[in-house]
Structure formats: structure tokens, C-alpha cells
């Protein structure tokens, strides 16, 4: 038999009835069924998932190999088993509770062949859940992780050239319960000779489960901070110091850390709040820098600065300000050449927060009229302040998923 165009690796755990629609979406693909290879790995299901996969495999038009093993504790192990068994030119990782869009494999393989790229992102949509949005502005035959927002989607549901994965020895970290796909995908991005984006056609539907068994909905904050540090370490190891590294460092800080120190932080007990600060300190000590901080919005910069300094009371004040959706007033200085935003503890001597933390950068809309002194027509400085509220150049982060979808 000719080499398959693509191997679809499907990990499954307690997935009934989702594999039915997942396999149906594979059967509906427009690539010749003999050019698709499916490797489905059931890791320790007790709800009949393994039997369901074997039944579906028996009547599928393409070759489907079902592997049953003990529970591995996370999705990394099953994906590695599928990757080791794969023979296709490309590999696509599809969870058993997700499904492919019409013509998805044909379009992604054609894009990779035409552009000669190693990773293809096909547009994803969420079903009963969120999905990343910022990278679907337009279709790109060739880009990279530095020139586009692809760093904000690090889920494994992408097409990878298998030769790249084999040559570079890229595999999923089986020691991680969550976040293993972010490490895998970021390394592939950084080692790839190019990345393609299909923005005008839905290639994958990420399905939200209502049974509480989706791995990204489980696990405490302690399971998320470790992968965030590993991701930051990977970026530091593969990208030389400088602006490119600083931009990529935004990903672990904004996606993994900030949500833990946002409104949900106020619902935590004092004990939990302190417990959150402790495990994140090694990451802040190793990777937090002024060069990274200045690329953040002021309120994000302030919160993370206080996290880095382990200042619980001040951090709580800053989080409350953000949670209440308050607008910081703008304080133009030096004839409008500099604008500070008045957030909690700004110029409070006891707090000792440097003015630079609250210094706005040009390029964003201004505060609402209520936050400016609008009793008289706006001065030149005030008009300038409207454009100096937040830092430029950072796409909105992908919707909340610890491993990033």
C-alpha cells in the first residue's frame, strides 16, 4: 500500500459517545480513504470507549488501528504511542471528543505541499466552548511564530510534517497532566521551516464536554504553573535574547498566569492566594523582565509586577480594581509627552511601585470621557492621552484554556 498522506492520531479517555461523530468526520474526508491512517489509543477507559473504537474500526473505510492501554494520567502518552506508530507524511492530532471539518485534511495537506511548510493551522471553531480567534484574520501560505499571532494557539489539533517531528525528536512530555501540547506545538513552530494558516475554512471543531472529564477543565493551579515555566524555558533555550524572545514570553505570562490572578483570585481564600504566589515565584524570578513587562497593558503589568514581588495585599487591591471594571484616569505630564495611568498605589510611597509600571505607551484608545477632565474642551495633551492607554502590538490572547487551545 502507498504511504498514507496523513496519520490521524486520536487519544480517547472515557469518551463515549463522542468517538462516533469523531470517526464519522474522518470517514467523510475527501482524501482517498486508503491515503488516511487512523491510530486510536484508548488509555484506561471504563465506559466502553475501547469497545466503541473497535466496533467503529471494523466498519471504517480507512485503516484504523485501535490500541488499548492502562491510564497514562494525561494525553501525552497516548499521542506519543500514536506518533511512534504513524507512517503518514503528515500527522494530525484529533481528540476523540472533537471532529474534523469537511475537506479539512485535503485542504491542509494541499497547503503544506504547496507552501512547503512544516505546520499547518486550519481554522478551528468551538462547540459548547471557546476557541482561539486572533490568528484567523487571513489565510497565510507562509508565516512563522514571530510574524503572526499563531503563538496564541498551542493546542495539538494541527497538521505537522512527520519528518520534522522525527528529525528533531519532538514528542509530548508525558510527565505533564496538562500543558504538554503547548510545549510540543511551540517547539514545532520554532523548529519548523515555515507555518501556514487556513483562515477561511473550518478544519476542526473543538467540542466542549458537559461531563467534567475534559482534561483542560480539571487540575489545580499548581498543575498549570509548572508547564508555564517549562514553556518559558523552552522559548529561552531556542530563541536568542532580544525582542523576538520577549514577544514570545508574553504567551506563558498572559495565558497561564494572568487568569489565575484575575477576578477568580478574589474568590480564593487567603490561604489559597498565598499558595498561588509560592509556585509561580521560580518562573517570575527566571523569566520576568522589564523588556517583557513593557509589552503588556498597564493593568497586566501592575498585577504581574506585584506577583513577582509576592505582595499579596497590593495585588488584591489591583485585582479588585480590574474586576470592578474601573477605568484608570490618565495623568499627562511633560506637555503630554508622557502619560501615567492612575491605578491603585500609584505614587504611594509606602507601596513603592515605580512610576514606570503605570507609564502608558502610545497606540491604543483613550479612557472613557468620565475618566478625563472634560469640563473644558480637551487639550492637546488630553487628546494625546486618548492614544496612550495600553501597549501596542499584542494580539488578544486565545480564550482561556490552560493548555491553550
Amino acid at each position: 500500500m502507498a504511504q498514507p498522506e496523513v496519520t490521524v492520531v486520536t487519544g480517547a479517555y472515557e469518551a463515549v459517545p463522542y468517538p462516533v461523530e469523531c470517526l464519522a468526520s474522518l470517514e467523510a474526508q475527501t482524501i482517498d480513504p486508503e491515503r488516511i491512517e487512523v491510530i486510536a489509543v484508548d488509555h484506561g477507559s471504563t465506559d466502553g470507549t475501547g469497545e466503541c473504537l473497535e466496533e467503529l474500526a471494523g466498519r471504517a473505510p480507512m485503516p484504523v488501528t485501535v490500541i488499548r492501554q492502562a491510564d497514562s494520567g494525561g494525553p501525552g502518552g497516548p499521542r506519543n504511542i500514536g506518533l511512534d506508530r504513524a507512517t503518514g507524511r503528515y500527522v494530525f492530532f484529533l481528540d476523540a471528543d472533537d471532529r474534523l471539518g469537511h475537506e479539512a485534511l485535503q485542504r491542509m495537506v494541499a497547503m503544506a505541499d504547496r507552501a512547503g511548510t512544516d505546520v499547518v493551522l486550519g481554522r478551528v471553531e468551538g462547540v459548547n466552548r471557546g476557541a482561539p480567534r486572533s490568528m484567523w484574520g487571513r489565510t497565510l501560505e507562509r508565516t512563522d511564530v514571530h510574524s503572526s499571532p499563531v503563538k496564541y494557539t498551542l493546542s495539538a489539533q494541527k497538521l505537522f510534517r512527520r519528518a520534522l517531528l522525527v528529525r528533531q525528536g519532538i514528542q509530548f512530555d508525558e510527565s505533564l497532566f496538562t500543558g504538554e501540547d503547548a510545549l510540543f506545538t511551540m517547539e514545532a513552530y520554532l523548529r519548523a521551516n515555515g507555518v501556514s494558516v487556513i483562515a477561511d475554512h473550518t478544519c476542526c471543531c473543538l467540542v466542549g464536554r458537559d461531563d467534567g472529564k475534559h482534561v483542560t477543565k480539571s487540575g489545580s493551579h499548581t498543575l498549570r504553573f509548572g508547564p508555564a515555566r517549562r514553556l518559558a524555558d523552552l522559548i529561552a533555550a531556542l530563541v536568542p535574547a532580544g525582542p523576538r524572545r520577549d514577544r514570545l514570553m508574553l504567551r506563558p505570562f498572559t495565558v497561564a498566569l494572568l487568569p489565575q490572578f484575575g477576578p477568580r483570585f478574589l474568590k480564593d481564600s487567603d490561604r489559597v492566594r498565598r499558595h498561588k504566589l509560592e509556585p509561580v515565584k521560580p518562573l517570575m524570578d527566571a523569566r520576568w523582565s522589564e523588556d517583557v513587562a513593557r509589552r503588556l497593558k498597564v493593568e497586566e503589568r501592575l498585577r504581574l509586577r506585584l506577583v513577582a514581588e509576592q505582595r499579596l495585599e497590593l495585588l488584591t487591591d489591583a485585582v479588585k480594581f480590574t474586576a470592578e471594571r474601573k477605568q484608570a484616569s490618565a495623568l499627562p505630564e511633560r506637555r503630554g509627552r508622557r502619560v501615567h495611568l492612575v491605578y491603585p498605589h500609584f505614587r504611594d510611597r509606602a507601596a513603592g511601585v515605580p512610576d514606570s509600571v503605570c507609564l502608558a505607551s502610545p497606540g491604543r484608545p483613550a479612557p472613557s470621557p468620565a475618566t478625563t477632565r472634560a469640563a473644558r474642551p480637551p487639550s492637546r495633551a488630553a487628546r494625546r492621552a486618548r492614544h496612550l492607554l495600553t501597549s501596542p502590538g499584542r494580539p488578544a490572547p486565545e480564550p482561556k484554556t490552560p493548555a491553550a487551545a
Side-chain angles (χ1 to χ4, degrees):
M1 185 178 67
Q3 180 185 20
E5 294 285 354
V6 58
T7 299
V8 178
V9 175
T10 298
Y13 175 71
E14 304 287 324
V16 172
Y18 297 98
V20 176
E21 288 196 31
C22 178
L23 267 293
S25 75
L26 285 167
E27 294 177 7
Q29 293 303 298
T30 49
I31 290 182
D32 187 330
E34 293 185 355
R35 306 305 296 275
I36 303 174
E37 171 187 60
V38 180
I39 300 176
V41 183
D42 170 45
H43 49 122
S45 297
T46 59
D47 67 344
T49 293
E51 291 82 357
C52 177
L53 289 171
E54 289 174 343
E55 179 184 349
L56 293 170
R59 60 174 188 260
M62 76 282 289
V64 179
T65 300
V66 177
I67 300 172
R68 302 177 68 174
Q69 63 166 40
D71 185 5
S72 61
R79 287 172 176 164
N80 283 339
I81 289 174
L83 181 56
D84 289 341
R85 294 281 294 270
T87 63
R89 292 194 300 126
Y90 299 99
V91 179
F92 190 93
F93 297 98
L94 182 70
D95 290 346
D97 43 16
D98 298 329
R99 54 182 182 263
L100 289 174
H102 181 63
E103 296 183 356
L105 294 181
Q106 179 180 337
R107 288 173 181 253
M108 288 188 288
V109 168
M111 172 67 87
D113 285 346
R114 182 170 65 251
T117 48
D118 288 332
V119 185
V120 178
L121 287 69
R123 183 183 184 93
V124 299
E125 293 185 359
V127 178
N128 299 324
R129 58 163 290 177
R133 299 185 301 272
S134 63
M135 61 295 306
W136 310 125
R138 60 193 178 99
T139 293
L140 300 169
E141 288 215 352
R142 177 172 287 273
T143 186
D144 58 49
V145 71
H146 303 292
S147 308
S148 68
V150 299
K151 66 177 174 289
Y152 286 105
T153 173
L154 297 183
S155 62
Q157 288 89 345
K158 296 166 180 63
L159 190 79
F160 298 91
R161 191 179 297 271
R162 190 168 64 88
L164 168 74
L165 306 180
V166 173
R167 183 174 66 252
Q168 297 292 347
I170 302 174
Q171 289 199 320
F172 293 92
D173 188 329
E174 297 183 25
S175 70
L176 297 178
F177 179 77
T178 185
E180 80 297 328
D181 49 353
L183 288 169
F184 180 96
T185 303
M186 180 62 81
E187 184 172 0
Y189 284 163
L190 291 171
R191 296 191 185 278
N193 71 357
V195 176
S196 298
V197 178
I198 298 176
D200 58 355
H201 184 83
T202 299
C203 292
C204 185
C205 292
L206 307 179
V207 179
R209 296 175 58 165
D210 55 10
D211 57 7
K213 295 179 181 178
H214 197 286
V215 67
T216 59
K217 293 184 178 179
S218 57
S220 70
H221 57 274
T222 57
L223 295 174
R224 306 181 193 280
F225 293 156
R229 180 171 183 187
R230 296 281 294 279
L231 181 60
D233 290 345
L234 173 71
I235 292 168
L238 296 182
V239 183
R244 284 189 163 193
R245 180 196 286 183
D246 297 335
R247 284 191 290 269
L248 289 182
M249 281 293 178
L250 292 175
R251 174 55 165 77
F253 286 116
T254 58
V255 175
L257 266 63
L258 272 174
Q260 295 295 329
F261 299 102
R264 73 174 67 174
F265 188 71
L266 301 177
K267 299 178 182 180
D268 296 330
S269 66
D270 188 64
R271 182 188 66 81
V272 171
R273 292 180 190 178
R274 294 185 182 280
H275 190 254
K276 280 187 174 182
L277 287 176
E278 294 170 4
V280 80
K281 190 175 188 303
L283 170 58
M284 304 304 293
D285 289 346
R287 304 300 174 196
W288 178 248
S289 70
E290 293 300 322
D291 289 329
V292 173
R294 67 184 178 85
R295 299 175 184 280
L296 293 165
K297 296 178 182 178
V298 172
E299 65 92 10
E300 296 173 339
R301 188 189 312 155
L302 175 62
R303 279 189 281 151
L304 286 177
R305 170 85 181 215
L306 297 174
V307 170
E309 295 180 352
Q310 303 277 290
R311 305 185 71 177
L312 178 57
E313 292 184 6
L314 272 63
L315 173 62
T316 303
D317 291 341
V319 173
K320 285 180 180 178
F321 190 92
T322 298
E324 292 171 2
R325 300 181 181 275
K326 293 181 179 179
Q327 292 283 344
S329 58
L331 181 63
E333 297 176 321
R334 297 185 182 180
R335 297 183 179 180
R337 289 194 297 270
R338 297 179 61 180
V339 175
H340 289 93
L341 302 184
V342 183
Y343 278 92
H345 303 291
F346 174 67
R347 290 184 177 167
D348 177 350
R349 289 186 178 182
V353 177
D355 281 8
S356 60
V357 174
C358 294
L359 180 64
S361 299
R364 293 292 182 184
S368 63
T371 67
T372 61
R373 298 174 183 176
R376 59 183 183 275
S379 66
R380 180 179 179 181
R383 289 195 302 270
R384 180 176 175 81
R386 289 192 181 98
H387 302 282
L388 298 176
L389 288 184
T390 54
S391 56
R394 183 170 65 80
E398 60 186 286
K400 177 183 70 177
T401 54

